[in-house]
Amino acid sequence: MPTTYRVRVDLDDVTPPIWREVRIGADRPLPVLHCVLQEAMGWMDTHLHAFRRTGAGGQVQVWQESPEVFDSPLPEAPSVQEEAEASVADLLPGQGAQATYVYDFGDGWEHRLTVLEVTEEAPADDAAHVLGGERAGPPEDCGGAPGYMHIRRNLTALAQDPDADLEEADREVIHLTFGSREPARILALLDRFDVRTADARVRAVTTPLPPIGAPLSQVMAEAEARGSVLLTRMAHLARLDHTNRLDPDACAAMMDPLIWFLRHVGTDGLRLTSAGLLRPADVAAVAQRLQLQREGPGTHKRESHSPRVTEFREMIQALGLARKAKGTLSVTAAGKRLMADPVALWQHVVGRLPLGRTEFDRACAIVMMLDLAGQPVAEPDVVTHVDVLEPAEQSDRLRRERSRVDHRLADAVSALGWRTDEGLVDGLDVRLGGYLTRTVLRRCDVLPRYRGDLLWTPTAHGREFLVAALRA
């Protein structure tokens, strides 16, 4: 009979207390427990971690991801074992057993794990669950427990008196971490915990993946071969098993810009400039159809001055719907066949992703689609909610969101072993590498229509598109 644990998780050295209670199978490997703790606490999994247990005789045992690659931060351990080779039962042998989960060796977050109950019965499902908890997890990179407590004290002081005597550096830390929110609002968010949301994320990362496409399967295998489960975790959070029946009306709306362009090219094709670019009249027509004036200033008279028009044309070509030959842009046989059938065109586009000229480009594209699929679906009025913000608050919100997205994308591509001539991959490298696929997401309403891709959250029909592409 399977053994299930009910485990209490307490974050050490913080007040008021931050804790969770989770249920997990005793036979689950430690990398799964790591994912459960990340999602239950609300961490972003951007730092190293380790598990530590002290035996009855005082002997310390440590389990870590790829110990042959990463140095252990726990010098008291005589040896460090590979966590993938150990289970929850190895770390916590039974009821009352305790161990420590350390996250971020710089900030040094220590989570005390205690087995509250051992049950010998078949669980209703194989997923782990969050049963309870209090308060949100601390923000990343805030200086560990001392830094977090310092921030809370400063927020309390500012909530009581906006002119409180604080160092300018302390005010800057609060602004960089939380943006322009009111201190009382920040404290309220720190004291909030939604058990249903946490349980949904934990269930997502512990439920078996459905069948996935070869491109996604390959990058996940590559990351795991390099000792990282980051992309696998992202795939779980993308909920690739959640699909709905294809909506012909949604397909028609999403494919409309592509169909319009193919019709604009027409049976005779479009004559190009000597540089192989669209002529001014065609550039203006594309800019008007895509409403590019809403995405920023520009005259859109020449393609060489209209990068968004170039991206759109190159996307159409990369999808195999048009080609250039002898100074003319013509619709391909596939384009002619598909332009009259939006559903078939939708399926064609899904099947062609990820787009990219190089292996790096395609890896960036997969990571972008995977990350976007794991975000909450956009509310219908999300653009309105952003537009009504004061300019400073709007800019601050978009900047912080872009920074978070860039960190996630860069970490995922880096987990595949990619580097640039300057060193580590950053978010801009990923966006540039995956620009063809990003253009599909932007022009086919997978993203809300708001100044390009600044709102990184999928539309409802866009999420179905992403899931189909990742499973193709």
Side-chain angles (χ1 to χ4, degrees), residues 301-461:
K301 292 181 178 178
R302 296 176 181 272
E303 187 180 332
S304 58
H305 297 162
S306 303
R308 295 286 170 86
V309 173
T310 299
E311 291 173 354
F312 183 71
R313 175 182 56 76
E314 292 181 345
M315 175 202 78
I316 294 288
Q317 293 175 236
L319 289 170
L321 301 174
R323 64 171 178 267
K324 291 198 298 185
K326 298 180 180 180
T328 300
L329 183 69
S330 303
V331 179
T332 63
K336 293 175 182 177
R337 184 180 72 254
L338 296 168
M339 62 192 296
D341 187 345
V343 172
L345 179 56
W346 187 96
Q347 293 169 330
H348 171 85
V349 174
V350 161
R352 297 279 294 206
L353 298 180
L355 300 178
R357 296 184 175 91
T358 68
E359 187 179 351
F360 174 75
D361 295 346
R362 290 185 289 274
C364 292
I366 291 173
V367 165
M368 285 194 301
M369 290 193 296
L370 193 58
D371 183 78
L372 183 58
Q375 305 310 309
V377 170
E379 297 293 335
D381 54 356
V382 62
V383 171
T384 303
H385 284 169
V386 175
D387 273 340
V388 299
L389 298 175
E390 293 295 326
E393 186 178 0
Q394 183 185 102
S395 176
D396 182 66
R397 171 178 168 175
L398 295 174
R399 177 189 57 79
R400 286 187 288 111
E401 176 62 18
R402 170 63 67 91
S403 178
R404 286 194 292 266
V405 172
D406 281 353
H407 275 104
R408 293 199 306 268
L409 298 179
D411 287 341
V413 174
S414 296
L416 297 170
W418 290 104
R419 299 293 183 269
T420 68
D421 293 340
E422 289 74 30
L424 293 176
V425 172
D426 62 24
L428 179 60
D429 295 321
V430 180
R431 291 176 186 275
L432 292 176
Y435 87 94
L436 285 170
T437 297
R438 195 179 81 241
T439 303
V440 173
L441 305 182
R442 179 187 292 149
R443 301 305 167 202
C444 295
D445 283 347
V446 177
L447 289 162
R449 290 194 174 191
Y450 182 80
R451 293 163 55 186
D453 54 2
L454 290 177
L455 292 179
W456 193 251
T457 178
T459 60
H461 49 265

Side-chain angles (χ1 to χ4, degrees), residues 21 39 131-132 137-138 186 189 196 223 268 294 318 360 368 372 377 412 419 438 459 462:
E21 189 174 302
E39 300 306 327
L131 307 177
I186 298 171
L189 291 173
R196 288 179 298 178
D268 296 332
R294 296 174 56 185
F360 174 75
M368 285 194 301
L372 183 58
V377 170
R419 299 293 183 269
R438 195 179 81 241
T459 60

Side-chain angles (χ1 to χ4, degrees), residues 13-197:
D13 302 322
V14 297
T15 55
I18 299 174
W19 62 273
R20 304 287 185 265
E21 189 174 302
V22 302
R23 184 169 67 232
I24 187 171
D27 61 348
R28 301 305 290 268
L30 290 186
V32 173
L33 177 59
H34 158 68
C35 291
V36 167
L37 296 173
Q38 285 286 311
E39 300 306 327
M41 295 300 298
W43 296 121
M44 296 174 64
D45 200 9
T46 56
H47 300 283
L48 300 176
H49 67 276
F51 294 94
R52 179 182 67 218
R53 179 168 69 87
T54 302
Q59 184 178 13
V60 177
Q61 290 180 277
V62 172
W63 292 266
Q64 188 178 337
E65 178 185 35
S66 303
E68 72 282 0
V69 177
F70 303 112
D71 292 333
S72 173
L74 310 171
E76 69 271 23
S79 65
V80 180
Q81 302 174 56
E82 169 59 60
E83 67 174 34
E85 299 175 359
S87 68
V88 173
D90 294 323
L91 177 70
L92 298 163
Q95 186 159 340
Q98 290 193 329
T100 300
Y101 170 70
V102 184
Y103 173 62
D104 185 351
F105 299 159
D107 278 5
W109 295 105
E110 297 206 352
H111 308 66
R112 186 170 66 260
L113 313 179
T114 305
V115 179
L116 301 179
E117 182 182 33
V118 178
T119 304
E120 302 286 346
E121 63 180 15
D125 55 47
D126 291 331
H129 291 271
V130 178
L131 307 177
E134 283 188 297
R135 297 178 185 83
E140 298 268 1
D141 304 315
C142 68
Y148 173 71
M149 295 306 300
H150 184 65
I151 288 174
R152 282 198 70 109
R153 287 192 294 270
N154 288 337
L155 286 169
T156 300
L158 288 172
Q160 296 171 348
D161 178 9
D163 298 320
D165 184 20
L166 296 184
E167 296 287 339
E168 188 60 34
D170 288 333
R171 291 179 181 271
E172 181 68 13
V173 166
I174 290 174
H175 179 75
L176 290 175
T177 305
F178 302 103
S180 56
R181 293 188 180 96
E182 292 295 324
R185 172 64 174 161
I186 298 171
L187 286 170
L189 291 173
L190 290 176
D191 287 337
R192 180 185 301 171
F193 174 65
D194 185 344
V195 66
R196 288 179 298 178
T197 299

